[in-house]
Amino acid sequence: MPLNTRSPQKTDKAGAATDGALPKEAERSETAAEPSRGSDAGSEPATESAAPAPGSSAEPEPESEPDAASVTETEDEATTTAQAPEPESGGDSATGRAAKAGREAGTAQAEAAGADTPAAGESDAAAADAGAPASAGESDAITADPDTPLADTEPGAAAVYADAPASGSVDGRTAAEGDSDAAADGGTDAGRPPGARPRLRRLRDWRADHPVAARVIGVTVTVLAGALVVASLLLPNKPDFRPTVFLRIPVEALIGAVVLTALPRRPRLVLAWLGGIVLGALTLLSLLDIGFYQYLGRGFNVILDWSLFADAYAYLKDTLGGTGALGALAAVIVLALFIPAVSALSVVRVSNVMARHRAATTRTVLVLSMVWMTFTALGLQVSGMQLASDHIVTLLQARAKNVRTTLHDEREFTRTAQADAFGNTPASQLVPDLRGKDMIFTFIESYGRSAVEDPITAPGVDKTLDASTKALDRAGFHAKSGWLTSATYGGSSWLGHSTFMSGLWVDNQQRYRTVTSSDHLTLTEAFKKTGAWDTVGIMPGVQKGWPEAKWYGLDKVRNAFQLGYQGPKFSWSTMPDQFTLEQFQKLEHSKKRDKPLASFVILTSSHQPWAPIPKMVDWDRLGNGSIFDAIEKAGTKPADVIANSTRSKEGYGESVQYSVTALTQWLERYGNDNTVLVFLGDHQPISRVSGNNASRDVPCSIVAKDPKVLDKIADWGWTDGLRPAHDAPVWKMSSFRDRFLTAYGSTPHPSGH
């Protein structure tokens, strides 16, 4: 069948139509056969392809053999012409006039811009040289092939691949697709400064010029992406970084490989992105767990612990200053965004490689699955670690269980807080054996068992405790000491305070909110309820509203701004303990009263980071606290010890010695026959000091001059003196309230049952 059923027309030199219009193929052939001829003034060239580009030489180009791409293109265009004949280009044709006007406008615009626009034939040749497919059919075939590197052009994939072709495609795309990217990047090269080609073209050219380097980079990126995915799947949520942890086979990786390899391209991409983001989120949660274990001895509770970040920022601000705290906050935010993003990109990268090598991926997954099942069946371990890992599955199950437990615990604890063994005890039957005594309940920050038994801290602390015991003996005071297991560890001191004072196990923020909004009786409230004591709270660590004072039964609270301190802060601690105790004496304890005083005092000098540490000064020279200026300036900076375990331990031990010395010297100086002091630690120090497997035990001592006071607890089995023996009784901290009330004559009358 002929390509065109109409008879061809001839054209004169001016380009006017005569008998008929030649097909484009014929025009192109004639143009290639003859050198271009100049046109008469004001006349149009015969064809666009025959017209030289502005600024180009008028010398005819040598005739060359058409390449395969040009032949294929000619055949395709001929087919198109046979299917849809061109309109006539005669002078009377409206279409012809419009085409001519368009050519004139285009030529004028190109000349005005000074653009180097190649002729149509030259553009086709350039496209062919750049690696464009010979025809649209070939382009479709390449795109449809599932094993081509086309997947690597998906969002998130790295730009360079190890096994991408050196030319003819960019990341598995055809040159036409690259041109589309170029257009999206700002259009074609026309009008650009020399060398300002689209980034993808520059990358393609670089890869073509450096195939070995491109392949090395591609392999490296792929290996790193795979290693990151596997490491994220095996990352422990506790501070355990033994090499064997990362030498296991994660079943989650095998399942993911099977699913991603089996899926078509688009669902695979969606699942890879979502899976990578989820994996990144789980990695962040594991890092939070590690941090919480380091500082609080437990994992991160996804329901209750978000409010603790504000306290953490306040601590950093007091420790590192405003600039340091902002820098740390910025680093945390960047990390929270970076980890899921990199995780997602890595999963996408690995999934693309697996899709290009389905057969090899299938064989590898099959072999590893058999190995995993064998390890599981035999229970093979290395250094106590199972070689067959299902860490992520186990972790998700544990988190789901924790959420259910937390929600259930909230309801159960509400009922528990309403039940109180002494809730309905008449005032006359509460602590009758302590009537007339000045009661002081004092917490020493982070005073834990490690202070007494750790090889680095114990020598200094034990020496101080023994020396203080002897000094108190000389002053007529005697003591008994034992161990209490705190409800918290490393921080969240308020949980330890409320557990000790209420007799309830308050180990999370929800329980704390529940108990402090209840009517459950506290020790200080018990003394207030009798009507025989005034109550006061000395809270140098409180720097904002503190509604819990009502629950504690305190008539008055003196916070950090009401103790008259005008000296420097010692990191987080607002003032030295010696100054706090002196102000307690001046403002409250020494006042003439109709009733004795029941006091709740919290000391803060032994709070982390244990630098700088205050020193004891003459009690009569304390004044407004400005005497501590020189001591604070000469002290160690927090940044010098905060990441050093040994120096942290040394500083911790020194701070506990300071706090114990200040408290016992205050008792020697201001105590009397009716003074009864109960002091203890609120929790152990963080794991950097106490170790990853430390107990939650803290020392507790009762000191009095009246021997009858200590006789009441003779059956407790506690050690004489301020230092409890290693084998002294260990009770839960929540059991102290009821034991104490019972020992001093209180009669149980339960409520809420």
Side-chain angles (χ1 to χ4, degrees), residues 358-485:
R358 284 187 174 88
T361 300
T362 302
R363 290 192 297 269
T364 302
V365 170
L366 180 61
V367 171
L368 290 177
S369 298
M370 294 298 295
V371 173
W372 188 92
M373 288 186 288
T374 302
F375 286 169
T376 302
L378 299 178
L380 295 181
Q381 298 183 359
V382 174
S383 300
M385 302 295 299
Q386 291 281 352
L387 290 177
S389 168
D390 57 352
H391 175 65
I392 294 296
V393 174
T394 303
L395 200 59
L396 288 174
Q397 291 174 342
R399 293 197 186 282
K401 181 181 179 181
N402 189 34
V403 170
R404 292 194 301 270
T405 301
T406 300
L407 297 176
H408 177 72
D409 178 73
E410 181 179 351
R411 296 188 294 269
E412 288 297 316
F413 187 74
T414 300
R415 290 194 289 268
T416 301
Q418 293 172 351
D420 190 343
F422 293 90
N424 287 330
T425 299
S428 60
Q429 297 180 23
L430 285 170
V431 290
D433 297 339
L434 290 173
R435 299 300 167 101
K437 303 298 183 185
D438 279 322
M439 295 299 307
I440 306 171
F441 295 97
T442 303
F443 282 92
I444 295 179
E445 172 67 37
S446 301
Y447 177 37
R449 189 165 193 147
S450 297
V452 181
E453 296 183 350
D454 183 84
I456 294 179
T457 60
V461 172
D462 289 350
K463 181 179 179 181
T464 297
L465 290 173
D466 293 342
S468 296
T469 297
K470 294 177 181 178
L472 289 174
D473 283 340
R474 292 192 295 268
F477 288 94
H478 303 283
K480 285 186 177 294
S481 302
W483 303 107
L484 300 178
T485 302

Side-chain angles (χ1 to χ4, degrees), residues 142-179:
I142 293 174
T143 304
D145 185 358
D147 288 329
T148 62
L150 177 60
D152 292 344
T153 67
E154 296 142 1
V160 180
Y161 293 93
D163 50 0
S167 64
S169 66
V170 180
D171 295 334
R173 293 178 297 182
T174 63
E177 289 169 317
D179 291 342

Side-chain angles (χ1 to χ4, degrees), residues 599-654:
S599 308
F600 183 23
V601 181
I602 297 185
L603 303 178
T604 62
S605 289
S606 50
H607 194 287
Q608 62 173 312
W610 308 296
I613 302 168
K615 298 182 182 299
M616 294 295 296
V617 300
D618 190 320
W619 288 85
D620 295 326
R621 297 179 57 203
L622 285 171
N624 62 7
S626 57
I627 192 174
F628 290 102
D629 284 339
I631 296 174
E632 190 274 337
K633 290 178 181 177
T636 305
K637 302 303 180 185
D640 295 337
V641 303
I642 199 168
N644 187 307
S645 178
T646 300
R647 297 196 66 181
S648 292
K649 286 185 177 185
E650 294 171 348
Y652 166 69
E654 292 173 11

